[in-house]
Amino acid sequence: MPDSVLLIGLPNVGKSVIFNRLTGLNVSVANYVGTTVELTIGRLKLGEQDVNLVDVPGTYSLQATCEAERVAVELLCSEPGGARKRSGNHCHPDGGLKGVHGKPAAVLCVVDAGNLENSLYLLLQVLQKKLPVIVVLNRSDLASEKGFYADAAALARLLGVPVIPTVAISGIGMEEVKNNLALAVEGKLSLNYQNPGETASWERVAEICRKVWTKKQGGNNTRRRRWGELLTLPWPGLPLALIIIGMIFAVVIGLGLGLRQWILLPFFRILIFPRIEWAVMEAVPPGMLQNILIGEYGFLIKGIEWPFALVLPYVISFYAALSFLEDSGYLPRLGILLDGLLNRVGLQGSGVIPLLLGYGCAIPAILSTRTLNSQKERLIITTMICLAVPCIAQTGSFIALLSVRSIPVMLAVFLLGWLAMVAVALVLNRMVKGDPPEMLLEIPDLLLPRGDVLLKKIWLRIKHFMVDGALPMVIGVGIAAFLYETGLMTALGELMRPLVVSWLGLPAEAAVPLILGILRRELTVLPLLDMDLTTLQLFVGATVGLFYVPCIAVIATLTREYGIRMALAMLLLTTIGAFLLGGIITRLGGLFYG
């Protein structure tokens, strides 16, 4: 099995860019055993040898104050024969991760040249593990722009390990990093640790900074720095935030709609589906099997059209927008801007990041709450995500369902979700004990993202959607086709008829998507596309789809994170909330249209 190299550093120091530079697209994502913390693992070729590069979650120290930091400690605490878990000051065998085994061959510790103090504290802790360490002094260009200069040679002499200045986003220094890594893996790296057993302390950090870090005059007032500060102030930060969010929403809808209407739907409906139908009719005689393959819920038609022609366009446009916001450094600034507002509902400003991630997928959004500092905040944000934050597949379904018929109704669905999140946060803030801690958030430099880096990130996320989103959707459509053609779906629909027809005011066949929604949330919405519904019925159907039960994968994540009672409570809350709101909207709409 290949050796492992750990990539470690503070959040927002360019680790992901370095990881992508070294591994390209040859990566996978896995949960660390016994946790739900995700690690990204990439294959890296060093000469004739392959190694696994493990992107460790960003951490400020090795004090293990949160789950991400505990994983970092365990990986650094590995010994031959398997990964180890840390207990007190000792390591004991337990756990591990596929692709990560035994003692790491080397550690790449990424240090921010413009924020040396915080980075050095973590680096000193890493050096205490007495592993082969290579220091990557990243963002040297931004440090210089701000007036800082870090003497890499002096730092290398003080620590006794290689220190390589890099500008990862443009590839400067990355070849030297690979050469040193190859030496480390072969056991040929020259190391001369200076006091490796010395306890990491801020006094030691200050001493090192005095010797290697200098500040020149006139480096602070750059245009980028001024804009970075303005974006965190109420004026002009709030108006700009509204403009940016509006632009992002327009890009997601406009780009997704263009891809869907002009490229993907014509491609499948004109070129692909007629050939599939012809092949099936030639090979399979009329009957149940043919209907399952190409009938009303045809596995080979709807199973391709829904995930790849209707949802995928919005997945692409959403992840393009989200990746741009992440790599530009805007998201943490949005967190600071909204901190005062979110404090009123018991949250920190940094809580906006998991909520935005939830519009991609609820699972990583829930997992990202592990970095928050209080259990109360985790509980509130997790409930908000499960109740009213639609994942990207669900968002694409709403846009596909409503954008052509009524943009105001589509906006009303999202507005209703936001209002529900605020209401839930207010209620839970009063019910759950505890005060929100002060926000600790690393603010990266404001950057214009590089196109090649964005494309890699978008491509990796699309691959993730194909496996975790599209494939389960295809399976769900296959199950639906079988249930429909065997009559089981009709029987289940009859059982739900009073609720669907009498309470929600929807046609009887709308019971079918409610059953499918248990498998995948977006399947509550997509079948409505083929029904002749009024605008009110579309709004009711979309509302029920928004608040309906989380998908099976989310329930499993909730069970691992909080236990079975929390998962069951969330099932009850979402189901009751969906049908209650749907019925209320039907009656209010009936009174209004009278």
Side-chain angles (χ1 to χ4, degrees):
M1 187 175 291
D3 288 319
S4 300
V5 173
L6 304 184
L7 181 63
I8 191 168
L10 272 64
N12 300 312
V13 294
K15 278 196 310 104
S16 296
V17 179
I18 292 171
F19 182 87
N20 287 331
R21 282 281 177 191
L22 293 174
T23 62
L25 298 176
N26 186 20
V27 302
S28 60
V29 178
N31 287 346
Y32 189 74
V33 169
T35 76
T36 49
V37 173
E38 284 191 342
L39 300 179
T40 308
I41 305 169
R43 187 60 61 86
L44 172 62
K45 194 166 189 65
L46 299 172
E48 298 299 319
Q49 187 170 355
D50 287 338
V51 299
N52 285 326
L53 184 64
V54 183
D55 190 3
V56 179
T59 178
Y60 293 97
S61 75
L62 300 182
Q63 304 298 329
T65 58
C66 68
E67 189 67 18
E69 291 181 0
R70 279 193 286 273
V71 169
V73 173
E74 290 169 15
L75 288 169
L76 285 166
C77 206
S78 297
E79 295 292 346
R84 309 290 226 197
K85 286 192 175 181
R86 188 174 179 84
S87 176
N89 293 321
H90 304 284
C91 300
H92 60 86
D94 185 18
L97 178 72
K98 184 179 180 181
V100 181
H101 72 289
K103 186 176 182 178
V107 177
L108 278 180
C109 191
V110 184
V111 170
D112 188 348
N115 186 17
L116 200 56
E117 290 174 309
N118 288 350
S119 296
L120 276 179
Y121 187 77
L122 173 64
L123 172 58
L124 291 176
Q125 290 182 309
V126 172
L127 289 174
Q128 288 180 280
K129 303 300 179 184
K130 301 181 181 179
L131 295 166
V133 175
I134 299 166
V135 179
V136 181
L137 190 62
N138 196 34
R139 293 185 169 178
S140 303
D141 57 333
L142 295 179
S144 178
E145 186 180 283
K146 292 188 290 186
F148 291 104
Y149 171 70
D151 189 334
L155 184 58
R157 287 194 299 272
L158 282 171
L159 300 177
V161 297
V163 178
I164 305 168
T166 65
V167 182
I169 200 164
S170 60
I172 296 174
M174 298 312 299
E175 197 60 36
E176 189 177 352
V177 171
K178 290 184 70 172
N179 293 337
N180 277 268
L181 263 181
L183 292 173
V185 171
E186 294 169 4
K188 299 177 182 177
L189 187 67
S190 177
L191 300 170
N192 184 26
Y193 290 114
Q194 304 296 311
N195 303 319
E198 182 180 349
T199 303
S201 67
W202 289 108
E203 290 77 12
R204 173 68 172 150
V205 168
E207 178 188 346
I208 294 173
C209 284
R210 282 195 299 270
K211 295 179 179 178
V212 305
W213 204 35
T214 55
K215 174 106 170 42
K216 301 175 183 178
Q217 294 297 322
N220 270 330
N221 297 319
T222 65
R223 181 179 298 178
R224 183 186 289 126
R225 187 178 182 88
R226 288 199 301 273
W227 271 107
E229 291 172 353
L230 288 173
L231 288 172
T232 63
L233 300 175
W235 177 263
L238 283 173
L240 285 173
L242 291 175
I243 293 171
I244 291 169
I245 292 171
M247 290 174 61
I248 292 299
F249 203 80
V251 167
V252 171
I253 295 175
L255 178 59
L257 191 59
L259 287 172
R260 171 194 163 196
Q261 291 293 104
W262 301 106
I263 298 176
L264 292 176
L265 275 178
F267 172 74
F268 285 111
R269 289 181 176 176
I270 296 173
L271 296 178
I272 303 300
F273 292 155
R275 288 168 171 78
I276 291 175
E277 290 172 347
W278 176 83
V280 170
M281 286 188 289
E282 287 291 318
V284 180
M288 182 184 294
L289 180 57
Q290 187 184 98
N291 291 337
I292 289 174
L293 294 177
I294 59 172
E296 187 167 348
Y297 284 94
F299 173 67
L300 296 180
I301 303 298
K302 299 300 183 184
I304 295 175
E305 182 182 56
W306 287 352
F308 299 112
L310 298 183
V311 175
L312 181 60
Y314 302 105
V315 171
I316 295 171
S317 59
F318 173 80
Y319 279 138
L322 179 63
S323 299
F324 184 89
L325 290 178
E326 287 177 335
D327 286 7
S328 67
Y330 180 69
L331 286 185
R333 288 172 170 81
L334 182 62
I336 290 176
L337 192 64
L338 299 179
D339 186 54
L341 184 63
L342 292 177
N343 282 169
R344 298 175 182 271
V345 294
L347 302 176
Q348 301 177 59
S350 56
V352 74
I353 296 175
L355 291 174
L356 286 175
L357 289 176
Y359 284 93
C361 178
I363 295 172
I366 294 170
L367 303 185
S368 70
T369 65
R370 299 185 78 107
T371 61
L372 300 177
N373 295 325
S374 74
Q375 187 68 11
K376 173 180 178 176
E377 191 176 13
R378 285 196 69 204
L379 181 64
I380 293 174
I381 290 180
T382 298
T383 305
M384 292 167 73
I385 291 169
C386 291
L387 180 68
V389 177
C391 70
I392 183 55
Q394 203 177 0
T395 300
S397 303
F398 289 139
I399 299 173
L401 177 68
L402 300 171
S403 59
V404 177
R405 288 285 298 273
S406 176
I407 292 290
V409 170
M410 181 183 67
L411 295 176
V413 171
F414 286 102
L415 178 61
L416 183 61
W418 297 334
L419 292 174
M421 284 191 281
V422 172
V424 165
L426 287 169
V427 171
L428 289 180
N429 187 36
R430 291 182 175 275
M431 290 177 58
V432 182
K433 294 181 180 179
D435 297 318
E438 293 185 5
M439 182 173 62
L440 297 173
L441 192 61
E442 190 78 16
I443 306 299
D445 292 287
L446 201 63
L447 298 170
L448 183 64
R450 282 179 62 96
D452 57 340
V453 176
L454 277 179
L455 287 174
K456 284 182 181 179
K457 181 176 284 191
I458 294 166
W459 172 243
L460 288 173
R461 283 175 159 166
I462 290 172
K463 282 172 57 179
H464 194 268
F465 165 77
M466 293 294 185
V467 175
D468 293 343
L471 185 58
M473 205 186 307
V474 171
I475 295 170
V477 173
I479 294 172
F482 175 78
L483 294 175
Y484 185 81
E485 296 300 334
T486 56
L488 293 174
M489 188 75 77
T490 304
L492 291 171
E494 283 299 316
L495 291 176
M496 299 182 67
R497 184 184 181 90
L499 182 63
V500 173
V501 177
S502 302
W503 176 247
L504 296 179
L506 297 174
E509 58 265 29
V512 173
L514 291 176
I515 298 167
L516 296 179
I518 299 171
L519 299 173
R520 293 285 305 178
R521 244 184 177 183
E522 62 273 12
L523 293 181
T524 310
V525 180
L526 287 171
L528 302 179
L529 284 163
D530 298 322
M531 299 180 191
D532 185 20
L533 302 179
T534 66
T535 302
L536 177 60
Q537 287 176 323
L538 284 172
F539 187 31
V540 172
T543 299
V544 174
L546 174 64
F547 294 100
Y548 199 48
V549 295
C551 64
I552 293 172
V554 174
I555 294 299
T557 302
L558 287 171
T559 303
R560 290 199 307 269
E561 288 288 299
Y562 298 99
I564 188 65
R565 291 177 62 184
M566 172 69 170
L568 291 175
M570 204 65 68
L571 275 174
L572 285 174
L573 174 65
T574 53
T575 304
I576 293 172
F579 287 117
L580 183 62
L581 277 172
I584 290 173
I585 291 171
T586 297
R587 274 139 191 80
L588 290 176
L591 291 174
F592 184 76
Y593 289 109

